Amino acid sequence: MLTIQTTEHMSIQEKRGIVSLVSSLLITAIYFLVVLRSYPEGMTTDEELKFWAKTLLILIPVKIVGMIVLHILFSVSSAIATGKEPEGRTDERDKLIELKSTRNSQYVFIAGFLLAMGALALGKSVTTMFVVLISFGILSEILDSASKLYFYRKGI
Amino acid sequence: MMAKHKITNSIRKLRFHHDEMTQQQLADKVKVTRQTILAIENGKYSPSLELAFRIAQVFDVQLGEVFTYEPQQK
């Protein structure tokens, strides 16, 4: 009997992509909500630079740990729900999709960087510059995940 | 917009004629994921030359018997 496996529900890579996107947005949102609550008013430029530098540097390990924890939770719950271990193999198609998605997200990030520099050149505050940079950073992450989902679904 | 490929394949037919090999079995033999085999069969992904040769080797046929290049219709 011919085994036909032409269509399927979301693949594990697609689910992982969605988990990555949602986790990233959630962690970033919560982090900035907490940090900006203690945003000191009336800072000098040097103090603003220091504040944003610390904020971004601390965000990196917070995000890494948060993403690892959420991905482990996802893998465990996925294994329990499906009754089988997720395939750990990464092949040429996964790598190609990763490359193209990263390229797409880099375009957005570069655009954000240029806009941030433009804002600074036009006399906007350091805080405005960082807000633009961080916003486009988030947008680039969204595009990265969206690109992956698109390529996995529609083909590459 | 779905990726358009000029390359078609007969992997599904070849799997059937090789003891009804499943996509997972073929994926394990050529060391890719089942989703990649599925994508190749559905024309959503064109494999690298190396992978194409490995697939042909599994079925013990020439590359041209697995993959066919068709001119795009205008």
Side-chain angles (χ1 to χ4, degrees), chain A residues 67-80:
Chain A
M67 297 288 281
I68 289 171
V69 166
L70 288 171
H71 270 275
I72 289 172
L73 286 172
F74 166 72
S75 294
V76 167
S77 56
S78 178
I80 292 170

Side-chain angles (χ1 to χ4, degrees), chain A residues 1-8 11-13 87 89-94 96 150-156, chain B residues 1-3 5 12 15-16 20 23-24 27-28 31-36 38-39 42 44-45 47-48 51:
Chain A
M1 191 176 94
L2 181 63
T3 308
I4 296 174
Q5 296 166 342
T6 53
T7 60
E8 59 174 75
S11 69
I12 190 72
Q13 294 102 332
E87 198 166 8
R89 195 179 278 160
T90 306
D91 59 18
E92 58 177 51
R93 180 171 150 262
D94 296 316
L96 184 62
Y150 176 82
F151 289 133
Y152 275 119
R153 250 311 98 178
K154 295 292 182 188
I156 189 167
Chain B
M1 188 179 70
M2 191 168 143
H5 293 291
R12 197 168 290 148
R15 281 197 295 112
F16 177 70
E20 297 177 15
Q23 287 172 339
Q24 186 63 63
D28 291 338
K31 297 191 181 11
V32 296
T33 61
R34 188 183 74 79
Q35 283 76 25
T36 296
L38 177 66
N42 289 339
K44 289 185 177 182
Y45 175 65
S48 66
L51 177 56

